[in-house]
Each structure stands twice: as C-alpha cells, then as structure tokens.
Amino acid sequence: MQLLSIQSHVAHGYVGNKAATFPLQMLGWNVDVLNTVNFSNHTGYGSVHGEVVAGDKLAEIYAGLCDINVQYDALLTGYIHGASSLAAVGQMCKAVKRSRPQCLWLLDPVMGDDGQIYVSEDVIPVYRQLVHSGLVDVITPNQLELELLLDFKITSRDDLRRALATLHTEHQIKHVVISSLFLSAQQLGLESKGCFYCCVSSKDADEPILFEIPKLDSYFTGVGDLFSALLLDRLFRLQDVVLATNQVQSVMSRVLAKTQRMCVERLGGTVQGKLGDATSMKECELRIVECRDLYHLEQTDFRAVQL
C-alpha cells in the first residue's frame, strides 16, 4: 500500500508528518512524505525556527514523483500554511484522483482550534474550493474548521445537521468525521457531561452518529494528525467509517493515557501542557514510538449515539 502524506515537519516532537509516518509504516504503509514546513518544533512551544515551503517547491518535488511514475493508493493532507502552497497541493491531489479515482483522499483542513486560527487566512477560500471539488473522500475538521469551511456558526444540533447535509449534497463529500465538537451535551440533546464529542456522517447513511469521548485534563499536540492518519488506514481497510472511527478513537485514548502516564512516571507528578510553555510542551509530546504496539488494535470502546 502506497501513500502520499503532505503536511508539516518538525525536527523535534510529533506533529504533522512526524506524528503520521511511523504509525502508518507500522500498519504496513509505504509512506512518501512531502513537508509543507520545516520547523525546529511545533508553534506551541512559543518559539520556532525554520521555513515554510513555497508552493512551487512542493510542485517541483511532486513532479519528480510523477517522473518515476509512483502510484498512490491513498492521499493524506494536513497542515499547509499559505494559499499558494495549498493551491499547489490541491493541484497534485486532483491530478492523482483523476488518474486513480479509487485512491482514497483524506483531507484534514488544519486551520485552527479553541477559537484560534493558526494559518494564513487566505487558505480558507482555497480549502472551500478543494472541498467543493467533488474529489475529496473524507474530511476530518474540528468544529472551528467546519465553521470556517461553511462560513456559518454551529450552535445547535440543527446547525450541525445542516452543516453535514451541505457537505454531503453540495460538496459531494462521502464521509465527514468531526474530530471534536465543543457543543455542550445540552446543545446536542444528551445527558453526559465531562466528555467531548466526535461526529461521524456518511453520504449514504441514514443518520449521523456521535461518540462521547472522556476528556483528559491536559493539552497534547499532534493528536489530530495521528487521528487522521489512523483513520485513513482503518477506512481503507474496513470501508466502514463508523467502525473505523470507533477503533481509532479507542487507539487514541490508549495513546494519550500512555503518554500521560509516562509523563507522570518521569516527573513524579502531573504535567498539564500549556501553550507557550516550552517545558510542559516538551513533556507532553505524544509518545509515538513507545505506543507502537497500540496502532493495530481493533477494540471499539465507545458507544455510538444517533445525532
């Protein structure tokens, strides 16, 4: 199985391609990597050195892959900082999909989280064009990114249903997995508390479903990048987005628990990752290598609830 992963790179830590490549290799994928940035570390440390890779440089590398006729079974696209780079990546992915329609394209529209946008705002209209292309198979936005893609706020269950219907009918997206919703249980018509919600919807399914995921009292980076990589693998194998998401969330819960446990064991106390605090950010890096025995697990820990 051959995959092209187009997202960020950091010398230290685990986000972007650093979070995705090794787990995918452990699952049997041959991963070709295009790095959209080359940074010393992720931006949560408060200080970062390196460079953003321009769109023409990305296109040049991709041209080399075309020259040697690499054929891809899947595409994974994540953090891309500027509009020109995103447009170049979009052209690559469209070319792959048109030549190999069976290739699975998972687009993670990485734009922001917790109310904060951390890419150039000129990428938003480019993402909207890509989502509208009819070539994307699955997207994995969080709620903020979903709102940016559709240009309206989601404050209720009805808003969420409208957003999902728009993606399926107007944009022809087969599968939508909203990795994290910040709607409350009350807004979603649920009784649970102390959870966040993952929403899964398929174009051909009758009803979207929700998974209730217990919250961990810490801040981890790279979680969405690992989630999207594992989801692509499971969806490719299982062809069932609800089962795939349940398995991946179950793996993610174990990865985060192990990361947190190893941090406590090393320091003798709890560390809560805080943006801008280099010490806590370093301690809360995902233990990607140490969790290598978890990525293949097929447990389904979470109960699906209809939206």
Side-chain angles (χ1 to χ4, degrees), residues 34-282:
L34 264 179
N35 295 322
T36 57
V37 303
N38 287 304
F39 286 166
S40 55
N41 48 267
H42 67 70
T43 55
Y45 280 80
S47 173
V48 64
H49 295 267
E51 63 180 359
V52 175
V53 181
D56 59 343
K57 297 297 182 183
L58 294 170
E60 182 180 344
I61 297 171
Y62 176 71
L65 296 172
C66 292
D67 286 346
I68 61 173
N69 194 33
V70 183
Q71 300 292 306
Y72 293 108
D73 300 298
L75 298 167
L76 175 62
T77 53
Y79 180 89
I80 302 160
H81 183 77
S84 66
S85 296
L86 180 58
V89 169
Q91 291 303 312
M92 299 172 204
C93 294
K94 289 176 183 178
V96 172
K97 285 289 292 184
R98 285 169 179 150
S99 65
R100 288 178 60 83
Q102 74 273 24
C103 178
L104 177 65
W105 181 5
L106 188 151
L107 185 151
D108 185 4
V110 181
M111 290 183 280
D113 200 2
D114 293 328
Q116 178 183 358
I117 298 175
Y118 40 66
V119 295
S120 175
E121 291 196 20
D122 60 3
V123 306
I124 298 173
V126 184
Y127 267 125
R128 290 173 180 167
Q129 292 170 8
L130 288 182
V131 168
H132 196 60
S133 69
L135 297 173
V136 178
D137 297 293
V138 53
I139 61 171
T140 57
N142 59 39
Q143 183 172 330
L144 172 63
E145 291 159 347
L146 182 62
E147 291 174 342
L148 292 172
L149 286 175
L150 298 179
D151 197 25
F152 66 80
K153 289 288 185 182
I154 298 170
T155 60
S156 67
R157 183 163 55 176
D158 288 343
D159 290 339
L160 182 55
R161 285 182 174 277
R162 173 190 166 201
L164 295 170
T166 299
L167 289 169
H168 292 317
T169 58
E170 295 183 20
H171 302 295
Q172 300 301 307
I173 303 292
K174 296 175 188 174
H175 306 298
V176 180
V177 180
I178 305 171
S179 55
S180 59
L181 289 166
F182 51 78
L183 291 174
S184 67
Q186 183 178 14
Q187 288 171 311
L188 291 168
L190 302 172
E191 296 180 358
S192 301
K193 296 180 180 178
C195 294
F196 72 90
Y197 301 93
C198 173
C199 182
V200 182
S201 180
S202 288
K203 186 178 179 183
D204 299 327
D206 294 331
E207 289 287 339
I209 64 95
L210 295 169
F211 290 112
E212 299 176 336
I213 314 295
K215 292 179 181 177
L216 281 177
D217 189 20
S218 190
Y219 183 90
F220 300 99
T221 54
V223 175
D225 304 321
L226 177 58
F227 175 84
S228 292
L230 296 177
L231 182 65
L232 183 148
D233 169 74
R234 293 304 199 282
L235 187 54
F236 185 88
R237 297 174 190 275
L238 300 172
Q239 301 296 309
D240 181 330
V241 69
V242 174
L243 177 58
T245 303
N246 200 338
Q247 286 191 8
V248 171
Q249 288 288 12
S250 301
V251 171
M252 292 301 304
S253 68
R254 288 166 170 78
V255 169
L256 293 179
K258 187 165 187 174
T259 296
Q260 193 172 56
R261 184 169 65 251
M262 291 183 69
C263 183
V264 170
E265 289 172 354
R266 204 181 86 79
L267 297 177
T270 301
V271 171
Q272 292 184 330
K274 295 180 181 178
L275 289 174
D277 180 349
T279 299
S280 68
M281 283 288 102
K282 189 179 295 184

Side-chain angles (χ1 to χ4, degrees), residues 281-295:
M281 283 288 102
K282 189 179 295 184
E283 295 299 339
C284 289
E285 290 281 3
L286 294 178
R287 301 309 201 267
I288 293 292
V289 174
E290 292 86 346
C291 291
R292 59 190 176 274
D293 59 330
L294 301 177
Y295 303 131

Side-chain angles (χ1 to χ4, degrees), residues 1-13:
M1 299 180 296
Q2 194 79 31
L3 180 144
L4 179 61
S5 180
I6 309 174
Q7 46 189 324
S8 63
H9 170 79
V10 291
H12 176 81

